[in-house]
Amino acid sequence: MLHLQQSDSATSNTPENIDEKRLTTMSPGSETRAMHDTLFLFGATGDLAQRYLFPSLLRLLGDGLLPEDFKVRALALSPHDTEAFREILRPRLQQAMPQASQDDIQSLLQRIDYRSVDLRDPQSVADSVRDLVHRQCVSYLAIPPGLYISTCEGLALGGALAAPARLMLEKPIGSDSASAEHILTTIGQWIDEDRVFRLDHYLGKAAVQNLIALRFGNTLLEAVWNRNYIESVHILVAESEGVDGRDAYYARSGALRDMVQSHILQLLCLVAMEPPASLEADRVRDEKVKVLRALRPLDAKHAARDSVRGRYTAGSINGQPAQAYQPPEGSDVETFAGVTAHIDNWRWSGVPFHLVTGKRLPERTTRVVVTLKPVTHWLFERPHRGNATPNRITFQLQPQENIELGLMSSLAGPEWGALELHPLELELSVPTGLHRRIAYERLFLDAFNGNHALFVRDDEVRAAWAWIDSVSEAWKAAPLPLQPYPAGQWGPTEAAGFLPADVDADAGRKDPA
Ligand code: BG6
């Protein structure tokens, strides 16, 4: 294997280049507007806020990237007062950001006040924000989507959705087309689309944004990026974690709605979209939505050929026992989904996109594997044409960021040169993992600056749900059985055909715990 490393100087996160990074947004021009300076954070006691959102704000504050008079109002149901909330948050910040200084932690805590609020009661929401709406406000809803409408009604009542106020919404927007439509249109009465920022935190990951850089910054890739050269694409988002602790949400969601509808379809868009005319937010989003609209709906006839669903049973991961997932009575959700998507357009006609995700798989990995077609005429005796490994480009997005290029070469062959070819992996590993910002840092900054490029537009939400609905309806109509798989394996045996070639789908099968 050839191993190339990017030099450290190209990736360092020194204070001098932080400001440059801040300006390097995908929407040139947005950085000239004044930043919004007041955050209403709903769901402030929840896991997302405590583990990711507040630590992200701490990093941004420490790096001097937030406005001078930045203020957070933390909101949740619990009847804390501000002091009690700060004391709950302090150790969580220390734990999440052990390298943060006490001064920075104190500075963030001082900017936070807390209000208890009943999100089912619009009046309660309105009362909890009214005193701050004269400022430049951003409301962030890190709460179940079932509470979006009553919360937004309250925000509108309290004046917190009037221009120039902004709204940040976590995924999922609804649980199917109908519920998403209801949320979109109801909230749309109170706030214009150009002030709504729908998050998909995968878009905030630098490694995911790098897909755009690689595709459109390199002639080499774009030249072969079509049905003439590409045989298939795999998008795999594997997690070793289970459903743990999110049972109520997951029992209504499952892998298809939780992961494919959002993160995986966003990755698919970035891999498959046409080059946008510019990196301006709507030019990028126009191209993404075209991909979603070109997805061929799944039908019951093809459900078994083009999809697989599974649920983990007891097993073991890295030698540790893992319990089975047991959803409540009546829930039929999957923890593993594999779907072959077909993009019916000029560029991708005939190229299968295998989309796979699952919980309690042997390892955490997110990767996009692009397999190229065999060469048109094979000159070599060894290996026999049929045994040649096709060229493959692997974008490993997490946990490490890596690009691998699989070539055939005679470098490792005998002394007489090109008589015998062997697969050669060119690995470009980028030592950035430690420096990378939490996805939410980037997304916060962009929302405060009014840059929409990394947020999901309403028509993307609609188009994504339309396709997901076709999959879940096909599953019901077929019906497609839910296949069990022991925790620690690569999904059910039926999943093997959906996984990329570099995954050993049989690993551990003979030896379940
Ligand atoms: C969330 C899903 O959106 O993404 C979770 O709801 C999933 O089920 C998580 O575990 C994965 O995110 P990441 O950043 O850890 O890959």
Side-chain angles (χ1 to χ4, degrees):
M1 174 181 296
L2 280 190
H3 192 83
L4 306 179
Q5 289 214 329
Q6 188 173 337
S7 74
D8 264 355
S9 60
T11 59
S12 66
N13 217 8
T14 55
E16 307 85 73
N17 67 18
I18 282 173
D19 208 43
E20 191 185 318
K21 281 178 187 167
R22 170 188 175 181
L23 299 181
T24 317
T25 63
M26 284 176 58
S27 183
S30 60
E31 66 275 13
T32 54
R33 287 195 288 269
M35 276 175 101
H36 278 35
D37 58 12
T38 302
L39 179 67
F40 295 132
L41 210 171
F42 290 89
T45 51
D47 198 49
L48 177 66
Q50 301 263 323
R51 274 177 59 195
Y52 296 110
L53 303 183
F54 284 114
S56 297
L57 294 173
L58 177 60
R59 278 273 295 267
L60 293 175
L61 193 69
D63 289 338
L65 295 175
L66 294 178
E68 194 101 316
D69 54 348
F70 182 70
K71 196 171 171 26
V72 184
R73 172 148 302 162
L75 300 121
L77 186 60
S78 316
H80 305 300
D81 59 18
T82 292
E83 263 326 300
F85 180 76
R86 287 178 182 162
E87 289 321 309
I88 291 167
L89 186 55
R90 187 189 300 276
R92 299 297 301 266
L93 290 173
Q94 282 161 343
Q95 192 187 357
M97 293 276 149
Q99 69 285 18
S101 75
Q102 290 309 315
D103 286 354
D104 285 345
I105 292 181
Q106 191 54 27
S107 164
L108 177 63
L109 293 175
Q110 285 308 319
R111 291 161 187 272
I112 299 174
D113 68 8
Y114 179 86
R115 291 283 191 286
S116 167
V117 62
D118 179 355
L119 300 180
R120 289 161 307 179
D121 173 9
Q123 197 57 54
S124 164
V125 175
D127 293 343
S128 70
V129 294
R130 207 173 262 123
D131 60 317
L132 288 180
V133 296
H134 58 283
R135 294 173 57 106
Q136 305 269 306
C137 298
V138 179
S139 297
Y140 190 128
L141 273 50
I143 57 176
L147 292 167
Y148 282 179
I149 290 183
S150 57
T151 305
C152 286
E153 188 180 346
L155 286 171
L157 197 64
L161 293 185
R166 297 183 185 141
L167 177 65
M168 296 177 79
L169 291 174
E170 267 298 330
K171 68 154 261 275
I173 307 292
S175 54
D176 56 15
S177 290
S179 55
E181 191 58 44
H182 180 56
I183 292 175
L184 291 171
T185 49
T186 311
I187 294 179
Q189 301 164 32
W190 298 311
I191 184 165
D192 302 330
E193 177 64 23
D194 66 358
R195 289 184 289 112
V196 180
F197 295 75
R198 292 181 200 87
L199 289 104
D200 182 307
H201 79 276
Y202 269 49
L203 293 178
K205 292 179 190 260
V208 172
Q209 292 157 31
N210 192 33
L211 288 172
I212 296 186
L214 289 167
R215 275 201 60 196
F216 303 122
N218 295 290
T219 316
L220 189 67
L221 293 189
E222 197 49 30
V224 296
W225 217 249
N226 59 58
R227 64 186 305 274
N228 297 327
Y229 296 99
I230 292 180
E231 180 87 26
S232 66
V233 178
H234 290 81
I235 301 180
L236 169 66
V237 182
E239 299 182 275
S240 51
E241 298 282 309
V243 171
D244 328 289
R246 299 168 73 218
D247 294 50
Y249 157 74
Y250 207 84
R252 280 177 277 115
S253 165
L256 180 72
R257 291 185 166 81
D258 182 43
M259 297 294 284
V260 183
Q261 190 273 340
S262 49
H263 310 322
I264 293 192
L265 285 186
Q266 286 296 326
L267 290 173
L268 173 85
C269 286
L270 298 183
V271 171
M273 71 184 186
E274 294 300 314
S278 74
L279 289 182
E280 207 241 305
D282 277 334
R283 297 298 74 76
V284 176
R285 301 193 298 177
D286 288 347
E287 297 308 331
K288 288 199 296 170
V289 81
K290 284 184 208 163
V291 174
L292 295 170
R293 288 185 182 143
L295 285 172
R296 186 189 307 162
L298 185 67
D299 57 29
K301 200 165 113 213
H302 297 107
R305 183 195 72 184
D306 281 353
S307 63
V308 53
R309 55 195 299 257
R311 181 188 295 167
Y312 63 83
T313 55
S316 82
I317 298 185
N318 295 328
Q320 298 299 314
Q323 289 182 350
Y325 172 53
Q326 270 161 344
E329 273 291 306
S331 165
D332 181 38
V333 291
E334 70 288 335
T335 57
F336 182 100
V339 188
T340 299
H342 302 277
I343 304 176
D344 286 335
N345 68 14
W346 199 279
R347 186 186 285 261
W348 294 116
S349 175
V351 181
F353 282 72
H354 304 290
L355 316 179
V356 181
T357 187
K359 293 203 183 280
R360 287 275 185 248
L361 301 186
E363 59 180 287
R364 166 173 153 85
T365 175
T366 299
R367 60 180 99 149
V368 175
V369 182
V370 177
T371 305
L372 278 85
K373 294 199 159 154
V375 293
T376 44
H377 177 64
W378 189 249
L379 294 171
F380 309 94
E381 272 180 35
R382 282 177 293 163
H384 180 265
R385 178 185 182 102
N387 294 332
T389 309
N391 292 152
R392 200 170 281 137
I393 312 170
T394 302
F395 305 93
Q396 171 86 35
L397 306 177
Q398 50 184 23
Q400 290 87 30
E401 293 162 41
N402 238 343
I403 301 160
E404 281 171 28
L405 182 58
L407 300 172
M408 291 299 283
S409 107
S410 65
L411 275 187
E415 54 186 323
W416 295 111
L419 292 179
E420 185 173 332
L421 306 196
H422 293 269
L424 172 78
E425 293 286 333
L426 262 172
E427 188 183 315
L428 298 144
S429 68
V430 188
T432 49
L434 291 177
H435 303 298
R436 284 297 199 209
R437 290 181 173 277
I438 303 174
Y440 290 99
E441 293 178 46
R442 173 62 191 265
L443 297 173
F444 268 135
L445 268 192
D446 281 1
F448 297 159
N449 279 314
N451 178 8
H452 274 97
L454 299 177
F455 295 90
V456 183
R457 205 168 57 189
D458 54 355
D459 51 357
E460 289 179 72
V461 175
R462 290 187 173 98
W465 276 123
W467 186 70
I468 293 293
D469 282 358
S470 82
V471 176
S472 54
E473 279 156 24
W475 284 357
K476 246 184 253 149
L480 192 73
L482 191 59
Q483 309 287 358
Y485 64 96
Q489 294 191 5
W490 286 103
T493 35
E494 292 75 2
F498 294 80
L499 292 162
D502 57 342
V503 165
D504 180 5
D506 287 333
R509 279 208 199 287
K510 294 136 223 145
D511 185 24

